[in-house]
Amino acid sequence: MGEQLSTQMDSNVNVVNRTGGSGVVGHQAMVDAEPDGQTIGLVTVEIGMMHHQGLTDISGEDLTAISQMNEDGAGITVAADAEWETAEELLTYIEEHPGEVTASGTGQGGIWHLALLGMLLDNDLPVDAVNFVPSEGAAPALQELVAGGIDMTTNALGESKTMLDSDRAKALGVMGSERDPAFPDVETLQEQTGSDYSMSVWRGIAGPKDMDATVVEELECHLGLIAESDSFNDFMTDSGLGVKYANAEDFQALMAEDDAKKGEVMEEAGLAK
């Protein structure tokens, strides 16, 4: 996105990675910047989770949304030789054998842990019906899955692509509102169980609060063109990521709705502080 913005705007767009604090540092840098359009950033789904966890006071209300660029539903992945063929079969097994299934995919309280907890709660199962083992991310969790150390992961299907393509794992379902275009044969939970529960990770571009509307409109236009470009879509496909574009108004609404939804799940699961 930075490279294409540079070309379209005929101006340097410098990308600076600000890591730390489970995303707090990078998002805080966006919040603290001058609202002159010179500083924008990649806001992630964690903006609606961090303050519920007591990590920060900031939320999407402290940012000016510009454009949503991505969305990936949580997938349900198991080893290729697992006994379950659908998410419905897995949920039935969990209900009948509480505490026997072990899952991973992210750190404690991370987005994919939250996806698992929300799915359990939505199916009237206790949050401890599945044992959760924290990991440094999807890659080590998937390695543990194929090695037989855990039974399932709940990360995005794109993150499981290598394992799925090599037939070392199989996808039982996806927690998105619709099927993942990169995995069209994988049914949603709604298709399998009738549940409308969904949990996704998303990314988009935002800036400090109170940015000038004309600046937002210009950036929104550029980002819309990027979202439609072949180069961006090819890059996202190669990276195992989905493209989902929304304009500034819809993206701001998404941040607020998602914040409330994830806060409710975290409260029920005992992760909120």
Side-chain angles (χ1 to χ4, degrees):
M1 285 186 281
E3 291 176 359
Q4 291 199 41
L5 274 176
S6 292
T7 300
Q8 290 189 26
M9 299 174 66
D10 193 24
S11 176
N12 291 329
V13 176
N14 300 310
V15 178
V16 179
N17 293 313
R18 298 191 184 278
T19 61
S22 299
V24 173
V25 173
H27 286 90
Q28 188 70 57
M30 286 183 254
V31 171
D32 292 342
E34 291 295 323
D36 55 7
Q38 295 301 303
T39 302
I40 58 177
L42 186 73
V43 60
T44 69
V45 67
E46 283 78 15
I47 192 66
M49 299 168 58
M50 298 182 295
H51 67 99
H52 291 296
Q53 296 170 298
L55 299 175
T56 180
D57 292 331
I58 64 174
S59 70
E61 295 180 352
D62 300 302
L63 294 167
T64 298
I66 301 174
S67 294
Q68 179 186 355
M69 303 296 287
N70 154 262
E71 183 176 88
D72 295 294
I76 304 168
T77 304
V78 298
D81 59 355
E83 62 183 275
W84 315 290
E85 296 297 332
T86 66
E88 187 173 20
E89 288 180 8
L90 174 60
L91 286 166
T92 298
Y93 184 91
I94 292 170
E95 182 178 12
E96 295 175 351
H97 304 84
E100 287 192 16
V101 174
T102 300
S104 189
T106 186
Q108 184 78 16
I111 180 61
W112 303 136
H113 184 200
L114 201 61
L116 170 67
L117 297 177
M119 180 179 69
L120 293 174
L121 291 168
D122 184 67
N123 285 275
D124 298 321
L125 296 170
V127 293
D128 60 357
V130 171
N131 300 311
F132 184 80
V133 179
S135 71
E136 292 297 319
L142 288 161
Q143 290 290 344
E144 192 68 19
L145 177 73
V146 298
I150 60 174
D151 302 300
M152 63 179 290
T153 66
T154 48
N155 49 272
L157 292 177
E159 295 175 306
S160 304
K161 183 173 172 37
T162 300
M163 297 297 184
L164 295 172
D165 288 348
S166 61
D167 293 328
R168 287 182 285 175
K170 58 185 176 183
L172 304 187
V174 63
M175 301 182 205
S177 56
E178 54 189 34
R179 295 191 188 191
D180 188 325
F183 302 89
D185 295 330
V186 181
E187 294 181 336
T188 65
L189 286 181
Q190 185 174 33
E191 290 176 291
Q192 294 187 44
T193 69
S195 166
D196 61 358
Y197 171 76
S198 64
M199 184 68 75
S200 301
V201 63
W202 48 259
R203 303 168 180 86
I205 299 297
K209 192 173 183 178
D210 299 324
M211 284 179 63
D212 185 277
T214 57
V215 175
V216 173
E217 186 176 355
E218 180 182 355
L219 289 168
E220 180 186 50
C221 180
H222 286 303
L223 290 164
L225 292 173
I226 290 173
E228 294 176 352
S229 69
D230 290 339
S231 57
F232 179 70
N233 279 269
D234 289 344
F235 171 82
M236 295 294 277
T237 298
D238 292 343
S239 302
L241 298 168
V243 176
K244 174 71 178 291
Y245 177 81
N247 62 24
E249 182 179 359
D250 290 342
F251 187 29
Q252 195 80 56
L254 169 69
M255 285 199 285
E257 293 166 5
D258 204 54
D259 188 301
K261 177 181 177 180
K262 287 181 170 55
E264 183 179 342
V265 174
M266 295 175 82
E267 189 73 38
E268 286 189 66
L271 293 175
K273 295 183 179 179

